[in-house]
């Protein structure tokens, strides 16, 4: 059975990449989005480009991993194509894992492009790519699981977009990129600690800039915890909806 | 003859609503078994339970000798399912859709292309192999959905309302396919609200009304329920024009006598007289208390 599930995860992710993610508009959006962010940051804080790198990579990964996935799952639920996957010898968690893997692969594709770009463009040490890549993998997994959770929690495609934005934008303002965590009130800091983007930014700051903070291992553990929790919630909700 | 599906007391409730209410039946190897009933009778819910998409509230089912609750992955490998909605992937071509489904079922890589091409040929879709699913006609989409359900050579094929929304030619082709599959030894479990479809295709028919099976028999067996009363149909002509009348009686002679008496009394000329054999529609109306038109209207109004 586990072989069927592994095969299902692989082919579902592959199919989603071909059918949805690797379409020219998505790739061009993936390049345009971080470009616009760099410009906005550079205008705001000219001269301190290296400090932009962690937030830029984390936010690109967040939007890449969640945007299409939330649409894909909701759309396939509407057309009945999602149920088709469950007619095959694939369990529901494996089917959802295939969907999440698709989001991870797309988030990683765009995230790596930006990560390599800022490392070269902002003059960061090349060896820092290695720990940053590890954080990026864990972050895209958490973000993709978030996309899956959002998509099963709603019924319509436009609802998925609205809910995704409702979750993403507060995360952006509380993750420490715009306002350092140390300057947030205790309540907001606690709220920030409940958001996966905070750990992604913190982990990337440690990896790319060597910024002292939480040990990177704790950030990775927190991201793994978010992935497991959001994936489990998405599985339970989807099972209830299909029943 | 071995059993392919054994269902005992299968029930599905959604809150206060009972969609399927303690149904029990058996399907034998190689037969075409039809669940016939109006919209909302529980046909699709039954198929969803038997294919693992929905968990039964209570009851037991064995499919291909395997317990549905405990051995679903093994069951899924040996069944093909054609849902009511043709739900392949718009963004993939006809051939790529088949290859994707084949890969999910674990068809060896070297065989996937061969099987996909064979099915495209069989369903006369070779010229559309590179066309995106979204661009195919409704009939072609249906044919490709059936092809996808056959790519792993299933022993049992579930067809949920296979000809709904199809034009006459496509529907005829699909019905012919069911006949060929039976000849090849594939057991077919279909749901339909078309009486003539069940009558033409099925070896045995279960009439499902409000979640319950009200009758289960061969088509001839179901018709036998209404054979007690004979009927004749007579075409009459007069100065007022032509008319068609039906007369019923305890025997053909009695019905014919009533018809001729009427013609003489009215001074009309008899053009033709036919004795009527009961149809599945007659049996359905008598056994369910529903009208055949109601099934049609309900389905079209969805």
């Amino acid at each position: 059975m586990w072989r069927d599930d592994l095969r299902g995860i692989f082919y579902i992710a592959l199919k989603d990449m071909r059918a949805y993610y690797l379409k020219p508009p998505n790739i061009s959006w993936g390049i345009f989005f971080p470009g616009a962010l760099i410009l906005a940051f550079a205008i705001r804080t000219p001269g301190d480009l290296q400090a932009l790198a962690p937030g830029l990579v984390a936010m690109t990964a967040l939007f890449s991993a969640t945007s299409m996935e939330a649409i894909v799952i909701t759309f396939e639920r509407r057309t009945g194509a999602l149920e088709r996957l469950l007619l095959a010898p694939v369990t529901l968690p494996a089917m959802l894992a295939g969907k999440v893997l698709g989001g991870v692969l797309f988030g990683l594709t765009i995230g790596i492009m930006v990560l390599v770009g800022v490392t070269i463009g902002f003059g960061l040490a090349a060896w820092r790519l290695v720990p940053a890549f590890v954080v990026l993998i864990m972050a895209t997994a958490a973000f993709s699981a978030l996309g899956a959770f959002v998509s099963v929690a709603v019924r319509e495609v436009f609802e998925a977009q609205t809910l995704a934005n409702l979750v993403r934008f507060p995360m952006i303002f509380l993750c420490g990129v715009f306002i350092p965590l140390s300057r947030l009130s205790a309540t907001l800091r606690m709220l920030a600690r409940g958001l996966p983007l905070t750990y992604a930014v913190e982990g990337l700051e440690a990896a790319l800039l060597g910024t002292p903070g939480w040990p990177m291992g704790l950030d990775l553990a927190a991201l793994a915890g978010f992935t497991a929790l959001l994936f489990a919630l998405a599985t339970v909700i989807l099972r209830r909806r299909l029943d | 003859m071995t059993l392919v599906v054994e269902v005992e007391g299968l029930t599905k409730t959604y809150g206060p609503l009972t969609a399927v209410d303690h149904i029990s039946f058996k399907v034998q190897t190689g037969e075409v078994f039809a669940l016939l009933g109006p919209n909302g009778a529980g046909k699709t819910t039954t198929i969803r339970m038997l294919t693992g998409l929905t968990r039964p509230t209570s009851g037991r089912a064995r499919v291909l000798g395997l317990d549905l609750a405990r051995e679903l992955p093994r069951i899924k490998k040996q069944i093909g399912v054609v849902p009511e909605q043709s739900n392949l992937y718009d963004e993939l071509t006809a051939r790529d859709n088949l290859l994707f489904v084949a890969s999910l079922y674990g068809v060896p890589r070297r065989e996937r292309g061969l099987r996909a091409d064979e099915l495209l040929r069989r369903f006369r879709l070779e010229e559309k192999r590179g066309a995106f699913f979204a661009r195919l006609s409704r009939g072609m989409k249906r044919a490709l959905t059936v092809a996808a359900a056959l790519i792993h050579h299933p022993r049992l094929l579930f067809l949920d309302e296979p000809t709904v929304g199809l034009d006459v030619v496509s529907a005829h082709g699909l019905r012919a396919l069911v006949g060929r599959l039976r000849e090849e030894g594939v057991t077919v479990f279909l749901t339909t609200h078309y009486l003539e479809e069940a009558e033409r295709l099925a070896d045995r028919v279960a009439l499902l009304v409000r979640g319950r099976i009200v009758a289960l028999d061969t088509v001839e067996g179901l018709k036998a329920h209404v054979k007690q009363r004979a009927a004749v149909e007579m075409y009459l002509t007069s100065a007022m024009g032509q008319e068609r009348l039906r007369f019923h009686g305890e025997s053909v002679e009695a019905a014919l006598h009533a018809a001729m008496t009427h013609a003489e009394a009215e001074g009309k000329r008899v053009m033709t007289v036919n004795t009527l054999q009961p149809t599945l529609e007659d049996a359905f109306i008598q056994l369910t208390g529903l009208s055949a038109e109601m099934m049609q209207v309900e389905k079209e109004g969805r």
Side-chain angles (χ1 to χ4, degrees), chain B residues 56-68:
Chain B
T57 308
S58 64
R60 289 187 307 170
R62 292 180 76 79
V63 178
L64 296 162
L66 301 165
D67 186 87
L68 184 68

Side-chain angles (χ1 to χ4, degrees), chain A residues 4 18 80-81 83 86, chain B residues 14 48 76-77 87 89 96:
Chain A
D4 293 327
R18 285 187 59 197
E83 284 199 344
L86 294 173
Chain B
Y14 296 100
R48 286 178 65 84
K76 282 180 173 180
K77 280 187 178 179
N87 57 359
Y89 300 92
D96 283 346

